[in-house]
Structures are given as C-alpha cells and as structure tokens.
Amino acid sequence: MRAWQARAFGGTASRTGTGSATADRDEAAAPAKSGPARLLSSGSPRRRGLLAALLAGLIVLGAGLVVIEQLPTRYSTTSTISFAPRSLNVVDADVVELIANKYSVVAGATATVDSAADTAGVTPKQLRDTLSATVEPNTGNLNISVSLANARQAAVAANSIANTVNRAAGNDRLIAGEITARADPTAAQLKPSRTLLRVVVVAAALLVAGWVGFAVRQLSRRAGKET
C-alpha cells in the first residue's frame, strides 16, 4: 500500500513539475514587449490613455517644429503712397480711391516690375510672384508690398515701384501722390510668422494628444469588459 502511494505521489509530482516547466518555457518563448508597447499594455486604462496621449503629442509637436524650421524665410516690406485732390480741384473721396486703384495697376505693370527687379537684383518673376499693390478701403493710400528672401532687396524693390508710380501720378490733373512711408529693411516682417506657426503646432499637438488618450482609454475599458 505504501509503495503504491509513493509511486502515485511521485507520478503526480512529475506531472506537476513537467507542467510548470512547460509554462516557464512558454513564457520565455513569448516575445517580450519593450518601449512604448510595454508601457501602453500595462497599467489601468487611465494610465494607458495618459501615456498614449503623451507619446502622440510629442510626435506631433516634434514633427511640426521640424517642418517649421524647414520653411523658406521671406521678408516683407511695404511702401505707401497717399493720394489726395490737387489744391485747385474739389474731388470726392470715392473718386480719389477709384483713381488710386488705377495706379495699383501701374505698380504691377511689366515695365514697372522689370525696372524694379533690375534695381533690386532679382528676376522679374521673383518680384512679380511676391508683389502686392492694394488700396486701403475708403482711403487714397496705396500700399506696395514685396516679400523676398533678402530684406534689403525687398525694400529696394518696393521703393523703386513706389517711385515709378509717384512719377506717373505727377501728371494727373485731379489728384497728387506723395510717398508717405518708404520700405525699411530693418523693419521687415518675417513671413510666415514663426511664432504663429508654433502656436498652431502646439494647439494641434494638444488636440491630437487629447483624442488619442480618450480613444485608448475607451478601447482599454472595452477590452477589460470582454475579458
């Protein structure tokens, strides 16, 4: 009887040992998770959501900042010509604005652009692609803006166009023009605004982080209910 019990106990112990060894081998054979995958697969749903949100936000923020730094830098300068009725003429303000719009066409004329481009040392195409000549609403102010990779060249081009337009207006019988503000390279505005773009990237990173965190929490809770 004792011999039989010994054999039975030994067999049971042997099977138990074999089962434990098999489980250990299975755990060892299973691929170990590392890095973000290990972090996201551990902890409560809330913790997983926070980790996923942090990871997604950092990725979006890093990628956005890299893209911003790669954007081409341009400097925008503006010259302003103010038109007013000549002393001997009584001209309505609407007429002054209408005539000022005529000189915005002169600013973009081929001869004007070619001459300004030669003066600034750029190609006519480069200048034409970044030239803007607009009249402020309800005024006689014509703003001539140029954006180029070099602030000095942008200012020279804008001032050259303003000079040409002002000379053309010298023969106008109804209104007279005066350059009231010349383009200054030291006051050039950086385009696009890096500060504004960084704010947009930070806002996008926060939105993506919030959405990813919420989605991961919901998926984790649903998986927990199903198991």
Side-chain angles (χ1 to χ4, degrees):
M1 183 66 177
R2 293 179 180 176
W4 178 83
Q5 291 178 345
R7 285 195 299 269
F9 180 78
T12 302
S14 177
R15 287 193 297 269
T16 302
T18 303
S20 300
T22 303
D24 293 340
R25 285 196 300 269
D26 292 341
E27 291 179 359
K33 295 181 179 180
S34 60
R38 183 177 60 186
L39 292 175
L40 295 178
S41 62
S42 63
S44 64
R46 182 178 181 180
R47 182 185 178 188
R48 295 178 186 177
L50 289 175
L51 291 173
L54 178 61
L55 182 61
L58 289 176
I59 291 175
V60 173
L61 181 63
L65 293 178
V66 170
V67 171
I68 289 175
E69 293 304 320
Q70 298 300 321
L71 290 175
T73 300
R74 289 186 175 277
Y75 297 91
S76 179
T77 60
T78 302
S79 290
T80 301
I81 305 176
S82 297
F83 294 98
R86 291 191 180 275
S87 57
L88 299 179
N89 295 310
V90 179
V91 181
D92 189 76
D94 293 337
V95 176
V96 173
E97 183 179 357
L98 182 64
I99 298 175
N101 276 288
K102 178 186 75 173
Y103 288 105
S104 69
V105 177
V106 176
T110 300
T112 305
V113 173
D114 289 350
S115 176
D118 183 65
T119 303
V122 297
T123 66
K125 184 178 185 307
Q126 287 177 319
L127 179 54
R128 186 176 298 280
D129 289 345
T130 62
L131 171 63
S132 172
T134 57
V135 177
E136 297 177 13
N138 303 318
T139 70
N141 296 329
L142 173 61
N143 294 322
I144 300 170
S145 300
V146 175
S147 299
L148 292 171
N150 183 281
R152 186 193 66 80
Q153 289 179 321
V156 168
N159 289 329
S160 176
I161 294 175
N163 291 333
T164 300
V165 172
N166 200 41
R167 285 195 299 268
N171 299 323
D172 198 294
R173 293 179 298 177
L174 296 177
I175 64 173
E178 179 186 0
I179 301 177
T180 53
R182 289 190 174 274
D184 182 2
T186 62
Q189 295 181 345
L190 186 63
K191 299 290 183 177
S193 174
R194 294 297 194 268
T195 302
L196 177 60
L197 290 178
R198 291 189 183 102
V199 170
V200 172
V201 168
V202 170
L206 292 175
L207 287 174
V208 171
W211 183 85
V212 170
F214 174 78
V216 170
R217 285 197 301 270
Q218 294 302 314
L219 292 174
S220 298
R221 289 169 182 169
R222 185 177 301 176
K225 291 180 182 179
E226 292 177 355
T227 54

